[in-house]
Amino acid sequence: MNNIEKLKQILKKHKIKCKLIKHEKKLIRSDDLKDKNVTKEDVCKTIILKTRNKNYLAVCLKGEDRVDTKKVKESIGKKVDVATHENVEKSTGLKVGEVCPLLVKMPIIIDKKVLERDELHFGSGDLYYDLIINPKDLEKAITFKIADIRKDGWRESNFQK
């Protein structure tokens, strides 16, 4: 069974309303949908982190935010680094850009800003599909911790001309 079929089963089982949209091109970065009038503020990215004792966890942040590994350490009590592409695939079975919080089997921290929105675009397990759901509906299917894990005052838009 492919990742999209697995995702559809999870969404159906937990009665999560969604839109699953197939695109012509691969979606890897949070700005890959800007030609569809989707901004980074409309995207939730899932980043895999690795602890020093080689355990993995996923963090979900809005597309324009950066993860603050010091805040993650305060939240879980362990120092973390962003996982390499190879480690993302090894720990999730998914490529960078495909990672969906509903498809990973590891602890998850969701930044509190993510839950302020009623609709966000998530990775779907397939680089050609876009999953749009209410982030609050994630709690119907997975367990996660809510924390402030984004870098304060950092906005990618601050560095664009």
Side-chain angles (χ1 to χ4, degrees):
M1 179 184 320
N2 70 32
N3 292 329
I4 290 298
E5 293 306 315
K6 287 180 196 170
L7 180 61
K8 285 178 180 177
Q9 279 188 347
I10 293 166
L11 294 164
K12 184 177 178 182
K13 177 181 176 183
H14 297 285
K15 297 178 176 72
I16 297 174
K17 292 179 186 170
C18 72
K19 294 176 203 157
L20 198 56
I21 301 167
K22 187 166 189 339
H23 295 280
E24 298 293 317
K25 65 177 187 170
K26 289 182 181 179
L27 307 173
I28 298 171
R29 297 186 327 267
S30 56
D31 62 354
D32 285 344
L33 286 168
K34 66 181 169 192
D35 62 332
K36 307 275 188 229
N37 293 323
V38 176
T39 66
K40 289 184 178 201
E41 292 82 23
D42 300 321
V43 173
C44 181
K45 58 189 175 187
T46 305
I47 300 169
I48 305 302
L49 303 178
K50 181 179 168 185
T51 65
R52 295 294 160 98
N53 57 355
K54 296 182 176 45
N55 290 322
Y56 295 92
L57 69 141
V59 295
C60 296
L61 301 143
K62 293 202 28 221
E64 77 271 19
D65 292 329
R66 297 282 289 248
V67 65
D68 187 329
T69 55
K70 290 182 177 105
K71 287 183 178 181
V72 174
K73 180 184 177 190
E74 289 169 17
S75 182
I76 67 168
K78 294 178 182 162
K79 190 168 178 152
V80 296
D81 296 301
V82 175
T84 63
H85 287 217
E86 181 182 317
N87 284 333
V88 169
E89 288 188 43
K90 186 171 80 171
S91 65
T92 65
L94 301 165
K95 292 178 173 58
V96 170
E98 292 180 335
V99 181
C100 175
L102 295 168
L103 294 174
V104 298
K105 306 285 185 238
M106 61 183 63
I108 299 172
I109 301 174
I110 296 182
D111 184 74
K112 63 184 185 178
K113 287 279 197 196
V114 168
L115 299 172
E116 292 176 0
R117 295 290 299 269
D118 291 330
E119 185 177 271
L120 285 171
H121 296 250
F122 286 80
S124 65
D126 185 304
L127 293 175
Y128 289 95
Y129 284 84
D130 181 21
L131 172 67
I132 306 169
I133 61 172
N134 182 328
K136 295 168 199 77
D137 285 343
L138 290 170
E139 69 184 1
K140 295 177 181 179
I142 59 172
T143 302
F144 55 85
K145 181 176 186 171
I146 301 167
D148 174 10
I149 55 169
R150 64 189 183 91
K151 283 197 176 177
D152 291 324
W154 195 96
R155 286 272 183 261
E156 191 164 305
S157 58
N158 292 350
F159 300 95
Q160 296 174 347
K161 293 183 179 183

